Amino acid sequence: MASNLVCKIHPMVMFGIVDAYERRKEQAKRVIGTLLGSCEKGVVEVTNCFAVPFDESEDEVAVDIEYARNMYELHRKVNSSETIVGWYSTGSEVSVHSVLIHEYYAREVKNPIHLTVDTIMRKGRMNMKAFISTVIGVPGKTTGTMFTPVQVNITSYDAEQTGLEVLQQGKYNTKRSVSVPSDLCQVESACSHVRTMLQQVIEYVDNVLAGKIPADPTVGRSLHDLVSCVPNIDPEKFENMLNSNMKDLLMVMYLANLTRSQLLLHENLSNLPA
């Protein structure tokens, strides 16, 4: 039985969890931490996280609650919009001690998310599962906790997507190092990518009209929505607007380079012997 709640995870959260797992104590089998983000209209968006020290044995588990509260207060000073939305643990399944840890986060936030991340990659990929807890049993008598699965989606901001694309370039580089392209190079790459996608769409539409391939209603509705979103602008006005924005971009780049040169010159002059 799955919940209607949707959990959206940002890439920075995944990097934080993996980093905490790589830095864990030698004898530790897993790590746990707090998830930060926002919850609105049935969607929990996790944008940040931090690890929480804890000790675990077969019989008991001890979490450094004071450390977790202090770290949360420090994060609130940096970004007050991020609140506690749940907690994470590495591993593929919910453990026996997860109920005890979940009870602490249930006191901090209503319906906290429990995210499990398979850092061992048992099936060749980093699987993620999210749960919310539900109390089961007879009121006033013996009760228990059942973890209900929650849908998990990966989402990202534009800046995060740009960073991921740069990191992927390093995957195929023998030196494992890449440089961030300039703004103009990114504009050129984006325009080239859009042009390629437009050619694919035009080719698909031509093939449908020619009867070479059957029409797909879902694709047709998507294309209709896409065309409807494009404003009807005179070509000459659009070209003038594009040229104006390009001039603004070039001016910003020029001023940034000029400021960088001035700072380097000032630093070099300051280091000269008196």
Side-chain angles (χ1 to χ4, degrees):
M1 179 179 178
S3 171
N4 294 328
L5 198 68
V6 177
C7 182
K8 294 185 176 181
I9 310 295
H10 282 256
M12 288 301 299
V13 177
M14 301 307 302
F15 285 124
I17 295 174
V18 172
D19 181 68
Y21 181 77
E22 291 295 326
R23 297 172 182 269
R24 72 190 187 281
K25 297 179 181 179
E26 185 176 356
Q27 68 275 15
K29 296 182 180 179
R30 65 169 182 160
V31 294
I32 69 169
T34 301
L35 298 176
L36 303 175
S38 60
C39 181
E40 185 178 0
K41 297 180 180 180
V43 177
V44 177
E45 189 167 356
V46 185
T47 55
N48 206 343
C49 68
F50 61 85
V52 176
F54 85 115
D55 292 321
E56 185 178 30
S57 63
E58 295 182 358
D59 300 326
E60 60 181 3
V61 58
V63 180
D64 193 340
I65 297 178
E66 191 64 27
Y67 176 89
R69 290 174 177 170
N70 292 336
M71 283 294 295
Y72 175 59
E73 291 300 325
L74 291 175
H75 276 76
R76 290 279 292 177
K77 293 180 180 179
V78 177
N79 190 346
S80 59
S81 62
E82 291 182 344
T83 59
I84 297 177
V85 295
W87 65 288
Y88 72 83
S89 68
T90 56
S92 59
E93 301 295 338
V94 177
S95 67
V96 178
H97 296 152
S98 296
V99 177
L100 301 176
I101 302 174
H102 199 80
E103 288 179 355
Y104 160 69
Y105 283 94
R107 295 194 296 266
E108 300 294 326
V109 61
K110 184 179 179 181
N111 294 330
I113 290 289
H114 175 33
L115 179 70
T116 61
V117 182
D118 184 13
T119 49
I120 301 179
M121 302 178 66
R122 292 178 174 84
K123 297 182 180 180
R125 58 178 299 175
M126 189 178 296
N127 292 320
M128 293 182 300
K129 298 178 183 178
F131 306 89
I132 58 173
S133 64
T134 303
V135 178
I136 58 175
V138 180
K141 296 184 179 180
T142 303
T143 59
T145 301
M146 179 180 67
F147 285 94
T148 306
V150 173
Q151 180 181 346
V152 180
N153 296 331
I154 301 295
T155 186
S156 62
Y157 298 126
D158 292 339
E160 292 176 327
Q161 186 63 35
T162 301
L164 289 175
E165 292 175 357
V166 174
L167 288 174
Q168 285 185 342
Q169 295 175 10
K171 177 181 179 181
Y172 305 101
N173 192 323
T174 56
K175 296 182 179 179
R176 296 295 185 181
S177 63
V178 293
S179 59
V180 180
S182 63
D183 293 341
L184 285 179
C185 291
Q186 294 183 23
V187 172
E188 180 184 5
S189 176
C191 291
S192 177
H193 184 55
V194 171
R195 183 178 179 180
T196 302
M197 290 190 295
L198 286 175
Q199 290 175 347
Q200 293 176 351
V201 171
I202 293 173
E203 182 180 358
Y204 170 80
V205 173
D206 290 340
N207 290 334
V208 170
L209 294 177
K212 296 181 179 179
I213 58 175
D216 189 338
T218 304
V219 176
R221 285 191 292 269
S222 299
L223 291 176
H224 180 270
D225 295 339
L226 177 63
V227 174
S228 301
C229 294
V230 178
N232 187 14
I233 302 178
D234 184 73
E236 184 177 355
K237 292 182 179 179
F238 179 78
E239 184 177 358
N240 293 333
M241 180 180 65
L242 180 62
N243 291 333
S244 177
N245 291 336
M246 189 63 67
K247 291 178 181 178
D248 293 341
L249 176 61
L250 291 174
M251 178 59 69
V252 170
M253 291 180 59
Y254 170 76
L255 293 176
N257 291 331
L258 181 61
T259 303
R260 189 181 299 110
S261 300
Q262 292 287 345
L263 292 174
L264 291 175
L265 180 60
H266 177 73
E267 182 180 356
N268 291 332
L269 291 175
S270 299
N271 293 332
L272 290 176

